[in-house]
Amino acid sequence: MKIALMDSGIGLLPAAAAVRRLRPDADLVLSWDPDGMPWGPRTPEDITQRALDVAGAAAAHEPDVLIVACNTASVHSLPVLRARFEPRLPIIGTVPAIKPAAAGGGPVAIWATPATTGSPYQRDLIERFADGVTVTEVPCPGLADAVHHADEAAVEAAIAAAAARTPDDVTTVVMGCTNYELVAERIRTAVQRPGQPPLILHGSAGAVAAQALRRIGADPVPEADVDSALTVLLSGREAELPETALSYEEGRLLQVVTPAR
């Protein structure tokens, strides 16, 4: 079994780690775009072209399924990606976890890149799944880029700025960019208000990993023996996991369990 994941940057690590935990025996192909990231500030047309290129690099390794582990690419590019690669290669998009977040009653904040915030796609999800729930869309300029480069000072500054735009009564935060899941606890600390119930965070890594397995008719086998390869593609070039990826627990897990070869 071979499962590919794509993103503009290292935001694919949480979903890759989730896949690795569910199927330690699956080969992984990680394809991202250091030459073109961040995708958030780009036009929808440019995002789609970059996404096609990164997906094409992954598809060349003949995976069984491709996870688009990027909210921005999913918002703007899923129809084009599916038209290009399906049915030969199933495409799994990443949808902000608005439905389960709204089920808790809110108020809810959705942290996302400027390209995703206010997009028709996200607004449609809010209208369909959060009717009657107070939802605040919080743009987080610079946060995805800072996480990708493991720039601690920039991460802290971007989180602080987004927290300042988040209403004090928010009970739930949807991490509408996969990069943010790598700094989830820092987001929790910044948004948690004294005297309030523990903040609820919703990511998407576990859900998309499980959906990818379902799509190809595979069951989770977390106890499977590890006998798998890890292929890393940086703007189409084969490489090792960058040091920035190893700054995060998810990246270290992938390296320890399945060294790139």
Side-chain angles (χ1 to χ4, degrees):
M1 184 192 310
K2 184 181 291 184
I3 298 175
L5 301 97
M6 61 163 282
D7 191 4
S8 60
I10 62 175
L12 50 65
L13 292 178
V19 171
R20 174 56 66 239
R21 293 184 181 103
L22 292 175
R23 288 301 299 246
D25 56 336
D27 291 345
L28 294 182
V29 178
L30 310 184
S31 182
W32 71 81
D33 187 29
D35 292 356
M37 67 86 55
W39 288 353
R42 293 179 176 273
T43 65
E45 295 77 15
D46 198 10
I47 291 167
T48 296
Q49 186 55 59
R50 308 280 328 178
L52 284 169
D53 291 344
V54 171
H61 289 258
E62 300 184 339
D64 298 296
V65 63
L66 172 62
I67 296 172
V68 183
C70 175
N71 294 93
T72 296
S74 296
V75 163
H76 295 291
S77 311
L78 270 184
V80 175
L81 289 168
R82 286 177 170 148
R84 173 73 61 87
F85 296 104
E86 290 187 336
R88 179 180 59 83
L89 176 61
I91 304 292
I92 307 299
T94 298
V95 178
I98 294 170
K99 184 177 181 179
V108 174
I110 305 171
W111 284 32
T113 65
T116 300
T117 301
S119 66
Y121 181 87
Q122 182 162 290
R123 291 284 170 85
D124 178 64
L125 291 174
I126 293 170
E127 290 175 5
R128 284 195 287 143
F129 298 124
D131 184 41
V133 176
T134 301
V135 177
T136 302
E137 296 179 274
V138 180
C140 305
L143 180 54
D145 194 35
V147 171
H148 176 81
H149 290 102
D151 184 333
E152 293 293 327
V155 167
E156 292 302 324
I159 288 176
R165 292 191 288 272
T166 302
D168 288 344
D169 62 348
V170 157
T171 63
T172 307
V173 171
V174 175
M175 292 176 286
C177 171
T178 54
N179 285 51
Y180 303 170
E181 295 186 52
L182 293 168
V183 292
E185 290 310 310
R186 280 181 267 186
I187 291 172
R188 184 192 305 278
T189 298
V191 178
Q192 181 69 56
R193 306 302 186 213
Q196 296 296 317
L199 186 73
I200 300 169
L201 297 180
H202 283 277
S204 55
V208 296
Q211 175 62 13
L213 293 182
R214 284 194 294 268
R215 184 71 180 275
I216 61 175
D219 293 323
V221 187
E223 70 279 9
D225 292 335
V226 177
D227 182 18
S228 54
L230 176 66
T231 301
V232 177
L233 304 171
L234 304 182
S235 298
R237 304 179 298 272
E238 290 201 31
E240 301 293 320
L241 273 174
E243 286 298 319
T244 49
L246 301 178
S247 301
Y248 300 102
E249 178 184 353
E250 292 85 348
R252 294 191 294 272
L253 169 69
L254 295 175
Q255 185 188 53
V256 168
V257 176
T258 52
R261 64 173 188 252

